[in-house]
Amino acid sequence: MSLYLDLSCLQSVPAANLNRDDLGSPKQVLYGGASRIRVSSQSWKRVIRQGVERDLGERAARTRMVPVKVRQALQRAGWDEELAAFAGAQVAASAGKKGIGTEKAGHTSVLLFLPEAAIDELAAVCEEHRSELDKAQGKKNPGQLLPPARIEEILKRRTASISLLGRMLAELPDANVDGAAQVAHAFTTHASEPQRDYFTAVDDWLGEAETGSGHLDTAEFSSGVFYRYATVNVADLVKNLDGDQKAARTVLASFAEHFVMSLPQAKKNSTAPTPCPTWPTWPCASTAPCPSLPRSRHPSPRTPPADTPGRPGTPSPPTRRTSTGSPAPATAPSTATPPSRPTSSSPDSATPTTPSTS
């Protein structure tokens, strides 16, 4: 039987633009017949992953720059630039049966997700095969000069964050990891739309007789109360960590903390998006994940109703007690008719007026 850690929270975010679309506008989603602001799971997962990696002291990188990083490591070791660049390209060409393609800038054609410590290991493999690399440098089709199995083994290494969030690479199927965590897109509990901000920048050295601004533009932002949800399959996490239950508990605690406390940092200098969430919960379910979605998919009203005892978020009135300390019997609400208000236009009028029955 699987055990799931479900994480839910509501988070109020003031004017910000945490996650933009291709036009620079806050992302949106149509849900419950209303347009709402959305923050993609990918943007939130990245800040969570970076927080977990800081806690555990083992960093991973999702990057296309592995050949470039290997080249830089070899140059620091005294290799000349051309041979180091050739060796870096060979790391990608020797990965798996067919290798991984590279582009003119030396980047791989696909993103890799690997521990940062793997760069030093790949550079060490190049050092061991420097003579073969030196002889083949300049050839049009040098083939795979580094041992493919060794390169693949290094690229398959995983950290706790890779075990938690997973990895997919079509070129190296054996390196794929089914992530134990699932993170939902966050969206506002109410209807919300992006708003435009017209702003200017003043030129500090304008002459006294000159007017106008040095720059003007518009930007978009949004605000709202976001519902957020994530779940972790604990059994899958323990499996990905090779059965290490102690490590799994550490990873879960770090993931839960950074799920609650992290926030995407887009446009952080102009909006300071740093609010803490409210109402975080993390119940465990033994059979299947169960998000604590809002009670209705219909958006919350823009103006909240008046406080009512018993309404969620509204404190109930204190219980009256008798002189003996036992709870007093419930008192029926008063049915007395309240006094009529004066309707005279004079503020000093105190004579009640009977309402018309016509």
Side-chain angles (χ1 to χ4, degrees):
M1 181 179 293
S2 296
L3 178 68
Y4 293 87
L5 176 68
D6 287 338
L7 305 170
S8 298
C9 73
L10 296 177
Q11 187 155 3
S12 177
V13 178
N17 192 348
L18 301 180
N19 191 211
R20 290 168 280 178
D21 62 15
D22 57 331
L23 300 178
S25 301
K27 292 185 177 180
Q28 297 176 265
V29 63
L30 185 65
Y31 180 65
S35 179
R36 311 177 190 223
I37 301 299
R38 172 176 63 91
V39 178
S40 71
S41 60
Q42 295 91 334
S43 66
W44 227 303
K45 277 196 294 187
R46 186 170 187 269
V47 290
I48 294 173
R49 171 174 67 85
Q50 291 174 334
V52 171
E53 290 172 354
R54 284 194 302 270
D55 287 352
L56 303 181
E58 53 175 20
R59 294 182 180 272
R62 180 178 280 110
T63 180
R64 297 171 56 204
M65 297 185 63
V66 169
V68 176
K69 291 295 183 180
V70 171
R71 171 179 62 79
Q72 293 172 350
L74 293 174
Q75 284 185 270
R76 289 192 296 269
W79 290 42
D80 66 80
E81 184 176 356
E82 290 186 4
L83 182 59
F86 179 65
Q90 270 296 309
V91 167
S94 301
K97 295 180 180 179
K98 298 181 179 180
I100 299 174
T102 54
E103 300 174 353
K104 289 183 179 180
H107 302 166
T108 54
S109 56
V110 295
L111 280 168
L112 303 176
F113 192 17
L114 73 168
E116 288 187 359
I119 298 299
D120 291 335
E121 297 183 58
L122 294 170
V125 174
C126 295
E127 287 277 9
E128 295 173 12
H129 297 81
R130 180 168 183 169
S131 59
E132 294 95 317
L133 293 167
D134 203 359
K135 292 176 183 178
Q137 184 182 3
K139 290 184 178 180
K140 189 174 182 179
N141 296 307
Q144 292 181 321
L145 302 176
L146 303 176
R150 183 98 176 270
I151 298 298
E152 184 174 350
E153 178 190 359
I154 296 173
L155 295 179
K156 285 167 58 178
R157 301 272 171 82
R158 63 177 71 169
T159 61
S161 62
I162 295 175
S163 298
L164 177 68
L165 298 172
R167 174 176 60 195
M168 198 285 288
L169 184 61
E171 287 77 3
L172 296 175
D174 291 340
N176 293 345
V177 179
D178 290 331
Q182 302 173 20
V183 181
H185 290 238
F187 59 89
T188 55
T189 61
H190 50 83
S192 184
E193 296 180 355
Q195 301 176 56
R196 297 180 67 83
D197 174 33
Y198 171 83
F199 65 92
T200 64
V202 177
D203 189 327
D204 291 336
W205 284 1
L206 276 180
E208 293 184 1
E210 297 179 86
T211 60
S213 63
H215 173 77
L216 58 88
D217 201 353
T218 57
E220 295 191 43
F221 65 91
S222 63
S223 62
V225 177
F226 287 83
Y227 170 73
R228 299 174 51 210
Y229 171 73
T231 183
V232 183
N233 187 319
V234 180
D236 284 352
L237 179 60
V238 173
K239 178 183 176 182
N240 289 348
L241 293 172
D242 299 323
D244 191 338
Q245 296 186 5
K246 182 178 179 181
R249 286 194 292 270
T250 302
V251 173
L252 284 173
S254 180
F255 178 77
E257 176 185 353
H258 289 287
F259 171 82
V260 173
M261 301 305 298
S262 66
L263 199 70
Q265 295 294 289
K267 299 184 77 67
K268 64 179 182 180
N269 288 349
S270 56
T271 60
T274 56
C276 293
T278 52
W279 305 298
T281 61
W282 35 85
C284 287
S286 59
T287 55
C290 183
S292 303
L293 285 169
R295 294 182 179 180
S296 171
R297 66 188 184 96
H298 298 296
S300 303
R302 290 183 179 272
T303 303
D307 289 348
T308 304
R311 185 183 302 278
T314 302
S316 299
T319 303
R320 295 190 301 109
R321 294 183 177 274
T322 63
S323 60
T324 61
S326 58
T331 304
S334 173
T335 57
T337 302
S340 301
R341 293 185 177 183
T343 58
S344 170
S345 59
S346 169
D348 298 327
S349 174
T351 305
T353 304
T354 305
S356 172
T357 57
S358 59

